[in-house]
Amino acid sequence: MAQAREQLFLPDGRVVDLSRPLVMGILNVTPDSFSDGGRYVDLERAVEHARSMVACGAAIIDVGGESTRPGYTPVPLEEEKRRVLPVIEALSAAIDVPLSIDTQKAAVAEAALERGAQILNDIQGLRGDPAMARLAAESGAPVVIMHNRREPVYADLLEEVRRDLSDGVERLLAAGGRPEQVILDPGIGFGKTVEQNLLLLKQLDRLSALGYPLLLGASRKSVIGRTLGVPVDERLPGSLAVAVYGVLKGARIVRVHDVCETAQAVKMIAAIEEVLGDGSAHPVGA
Ligand code: HH2
């Protein structure tokens, strides 16, 4: 199995270490996101929330100005820019961790990069806006290529997800981009039934075989709600279980709302995996 790359190279020259799994904190500056809509539309509250996620261990903050929950209302370009750009600008000055821009519009992504965003997050996997692959290639920024389909119809789920993701990678390379920029994401909740989401999680390690770092975003999603029969504000235990399972299956970045709790879970996994010795001497503590 191909070993996934363990670094992200940012346009500003910084390098993000992926040898340990990272937490990406979600900052939705939308009135209508499915779990946190309306909470951070105010600039000061957005900055405060980002700061608190960083304090808890977020290594990346993902800023989004358009909810993409099932049945969402598309946001016009100017409105999306109005929502995200001031936040990107303020966060570039306020916090040290890299910012990613969660958008399907190349014009929003480009303006965000100009204001300090360092990572592109395209839920259309470079198969939506035709200008996105070129922008990714020209900027040299790491780009999350997420799997997405309109209809949950597959003859062979894993094979088709792999093929669609590879197609996104091909678009980047054809536009002049580099394999080093690629981060892949199975797109939990996007054009998949509950069973298909569970199956993709179960087979996540097989997506690592493509050789790119994997990002997993299942936080508070309906696959958890439906499996456990719990409303959106009671999905923390399920979200933690999926994040831990995902990391053990090879995810290097987990995109979550509950950063403090997830960062502790991920740190605990790293501590167990990295402990040395045979346990016969030098106990670390009780
Ligand atoms: N999920 C959502 C949005 N962006 N990006 C990536 N790479 N992977 C994901 O799984 C993903 C994503 C949807 O979740 P959320 O942002 O919480 O909700 P909403 O779309 O309602 O704002």
Side-chain angles (χ1 to χ4, degrees), residues 28 33-34 67-68 102 121 146 185 190 217 221 255 257:
N28 284 322
S33 284
F34 79 93
S67 168
T68 48
D102 181 353
N121 179 14
M146 195 197 81
D185 180 341
F190 289 87
K221 282 186 178 168
R255 179 185 180 276
H257 301 88

Side-chain angles (χ1 to χ4, degrees), residues 26 28 30 32-36 62 66-69 102 121 123 144 146 185 187-188 190 215-219 221 255 257:
I26 301 171
N28 284 322
T30 53
D32 57 344
S33 284
F34 79 93
S35 82
D36 55 359
D62 188 40
E66 178 179 60
S67 168
T68 48
R69 70 192 187 288
D102 181 353
N121 179 14
I123 62 146
V144 182
M146 195 197 81
D185 180 341
I188 297 300
F190 289 87
L215 182 149
L216 182 65
S219 183
K221 282 186 178 168
R255 179 185 180 276
H257 301 88

